[in-house]
Amino acid sequence: MTEPASQRILSQPALADLGEVPADSRWIRSRGPMLHLLDYGPEGRPPLVVVPGITSPAISMDFVVRGLTDLVRPVVLDVRGRGLSDNGDAYDLDTYARDVEAVVRGLRLERPILLGHSMGARVVAATAAAGRVGVRGSVLVDPPMSGPGRGPYPTTLEAFLGQLDQARRGTTADEVAASWPRWPRREQELRARWMGSISRDAIVATHAGFECEDFFAVWPHVPAPTVLIHGGDSPVVTAAGAEEAAKANPEASVVEVPGTGHMVFWDDPAAALATTRDALRALI
């Protein structure tokens, strides 16, 4: 049974967070769902479409993209079923990729760079590999490499749904810190206020996709220039996984951020930002 959109919770304090974000809201319809984006401008710089992870609304990437606006124009997507975007009738990789294409066309973004974290990295790979919109390049940050015949995704579905249930009943930054102790305090607070905006169906279907949709069926077809950034201690992109990725797409750059786990930007914001800036400079 499909969960109604009314089960998603977005409180007044969460909406107030948007008032402190130096971005304009944009809206694009993608074959049904209305999608929300945060556009940081300025329009004169190369566009950067940012696709967050499985339980990360657009505002969760604010602390990252603020450090990029001197190089690019970040446009951050509330992926369908997250944040202010509508629910969807499907949450597979091709559907997500077509949403990104709708954003590129709807905002008339000329040869954007695509950047995604975790689930978003898989979506970026699928979008770039499909080649239905022209892109300048792509940056994949710690994409899940689980899939058919591979080990399971390290975070269980039950763990994600437990965090969602906490948020819907009313969680706190301290409770979030129990799961994500390394995060900056502001990001723990945002997680507490925004996690309830995520669709349960989106989490369930996307997590299933981590194990039935093969990243390595797509990754070799991602055109250069592309950069894969991974956490040095990530259980999602292990050292063996990074080596396999380098061999599967020899034209790609594979870069490690030492001492970080899967949540690369949150674990060491300064090092992750510096690595991302280097990657973007090479693509501009």
Side-chain angles (χ1 to χ4, degrees):
M1 180 179 178
T2 301
E3 180 186 58
S6 61
Q7 294 298 311
R8 295 170 59 190
I9 297 172
L10 201 52
S11 66
Q12 186 62 37
L15 293 173
D17 289 327
L18 293 171
E20 299 179 2
V21 172
D24 295 323
S25 285
R26 308 285 187 203
W27 299 89
I28 295 294
R29 188 171 295 282
S30 177
R31 298 169 302 121
M34 187 70 78
L35 304 177
H36 173 255
L37 305 103
L38 292 174
D39 184 350
Y40 285 75
E43 290 194 10
R45 295 211 167 96
L48 174 73
V49 178
V50 180
V51 187
I54 184 173
T55 55
S56 297
I59 198 170
S60 69
M61 296 296 287
D62 174 65
F63 79 112
V64 177
V65 300
R66 285 189 194 219
L68 303 175
T69 53
D70 62 318
L71 298 175
V72 292
R73 170 194 173 186
V75 179
V76 189
L77 175 62
D78 263 334
V79 179
R80 58 170 58 202
R82 286 95 173 161
L84 299 180
S85 289
D86 287 346
N87 288 345
D89 58 359
Y91 298 97
D92 58 278
L93 270 180
D94 184 65
T95 297
Y96 284 138
R98 291 181 184 276
D99 285 347
V100 174
E101 293 164 12
V103 168
V104 172
R105 295 188 184 106
L107 295 181
R108 299 180 179 178
L109 302 178
E110 185 175 353
R111 295 185 63 239
I113 300 168
L114 307 180
L115 182 150
H117 171 251
S118 190
M119 174 201 77
R122 288 169 65 107
V123 174
V124 162
T127 307
R132 293 183 291 253
V133 292
V135 299
R136 190 182 303 251
S138 57
V139 181
L140 284 65
V141 183
D142 229 68
M145 295 184 172
S146 50
R150 298 177 179 271
Y153 184 70
T155 302
T156 66
L157 176 60
E158 290 72 23
F160 280 126
L161 295 181
Q163 293 168 24
L164 179 64
D165 290 339
Q166 284 181 346
R168 288 184 175 180
R169 75 157 193 269
T171 191
T172 65
D174 287 341
E175 197 168 40
V176 170
S179 297
W180 308 105
R182 296 181 64 180
W183 289 17
R185 186 62 172 181
R186 176 178 178 267
E187 309 319 311
Q188 294 168 344
E189 292 169 349
L190 286 175
R191 177 79 168 190
R193 290 192 287 269
W194 282 83
M195 180 71 186
S197 75
I198 311 297
S199 159
R200 181 178 296 265
D201 291 341
I203 295 174
V204 171
T206 303
H207 193 277
F210 286 168
E211 300 186 3
C212 72
E213 295 177 305
D214 189 357
F215 172 74
F216 283 98
V218 175
W219 170 241
H221 306 290
V222 175
T226 185
V227 182
L228 192 156
I229 297 171
H230 67 98
D233 299 328
S234 173
V236 173
V237 180
T238 61
E243 182 178 357
E244 183 179 0
K247 291 178 180 177
N249 192 335
E251 294 188 45
S253 297
V254 178
V255 182
E256 176 184 320
V257 182
T260 61
H262 176 57
M263 305 301 285
V264 183
F265 294 112
W266 291 259
D267 288 348
D268 190 339
L273 180 62
T275 302
T276 302
R277 288 178 62 86
D278 287 346
L280 293 176
R281 286 193 192 98
L283 298 177
I284 294 172

